[in-house]
Amino acid sequence: MYAGVYNDNVPLNISTDRGLTWTSLSDGLPNSTCRDIHVFEGDSNIIFLALEGDYMWRTLDAGGSWERMDSDQGFTDGNAYTVKMHPTDSNIAWAGTRYDGAFKTTDGGDNWTQMGEEDFEPYVRFLARHPTQPDILFMGTQDGHGVYKTTDAGETWEEANDGFTNVDIQCLAIHPDVQN
């Protein structure tokens, strides 16, 4: 079990006893606010961490060492807010940021590409990936933009706001029985 901490010098902690005790996994991480954690389903050594004001971070050894992914890898916005990984391919992940919209990597985080149309830069607060159809993702945004949906792994996004009017989305979840 992992816990991300708000505005602390220990942004990530782990519990191996169901939350009775916690140990820091923050050696090598900056003092920052953890916004999201994603552990790869196929190998728990691979973890992506979204830190507010300090980009995206990756570990391949369960937190023994961390690597920052920033503008050198194409990740242009330092305010990472959310991250989701493909369930079976550790090379594919999606990230949402505050100022530059959403990004995707297809090489495990070495390079990131901004998703969507040109000038599509919503404040992405949350990403939700369909549990059985990984090319379907939903993007929860702020600044009144609501929800967007992709069925092609992030190449294109469509508004999914029927019933919403000028809302800020804080979180999203997809029921596993929903097919699309």
Side-chain angles (χ1 to χ4, degrees):
M1 176 187 296
Y2 298 88
V5 179
Y6 178 78
N7 207 14
D8 195 10
N9 60 356
V10 184
L12 184 63
N13 297 271
I14 186 171
S15 175
T16 57
D17 57 11
R18 297 187 177 140
L20 295 175
T21 60
W22 295 90
T23 305
S24 171
L25 281 181
S26 298
D27 287 345
L29 291 173
N31 297 345
S32 188
T33 296
C34 179
R35 289 295 180 184
D36 202 4
I37 306 161
H38 197 106
V39 181
F40 178 56
E41 296 169 31
D43 181 352
S44 60
N45 288 312
I46 303 171
I47 304 169
F48 279 82
L49 185 65
L51 295 181
E52 182 177 1
D54 213 344
Y55 296 93
M56 187 69 60
W57 291 74
R58 168 185 68 186
T59 181
L60 302 176
D61 58 9
S65 62
W66 292 93
E67 178 184 4
R68 180 180 184 202
M69 292 168 278
D70 55 27
S71 58
D72 290 342
Q73 290 83 24
F75 203 92
T76 58
D77 188 343
N79 285 292
Y81 267 67
T82 183
V83 60
K84 296 294 176 265
M85 295 183 73
H86 191 281
T88 60
D89 187 343
S90 64
N91 287 313
I92 301 173
W94 301 268
T97 68
R98 183 171 186 166
Y99 299 110
D100 286 346
F103 291 81
K104 179 179 179 181
T105 182
T106 57
D107 60 9
D110 291 335
N111 296 285
W112 293 83
T113 303
Q114 197 168 10
M115 294 188 297
E117 305 292 322
E118 188 174 338
D119 297 326
F120 180 68
E121 299 176 349
Y123 178 165
V124 181
R125 184 69 184 93
F126 202 82
L127 290 170
R129 179 186 44 79
H130 193 283
T132 61
Q133 298 177 60
D135 287 348
I136 298 176
L137 290 95
F138 289 85
M139 177 190 311
T141 67
Q142 292 202 212
D143 299 331
H145 296 290
V147 177
Y148 289 86
K149 177 183 179 182
T150 181
T151 57
D152 58 12
E155 297 302 316
T156 59
W157 293 86
E158 296 179 359
E159 284 189 24
N161 288 319
D162 192 18
F164 283 137
T165 305
N166 194 26
V167 296
D168 293 343
I169 304 299
Q170 296 297 309
C171 54
L172 294 166
I174 302 172
H175 192 283
D177 292 340
V178 174
Q179 293 303 307
N180 54 27

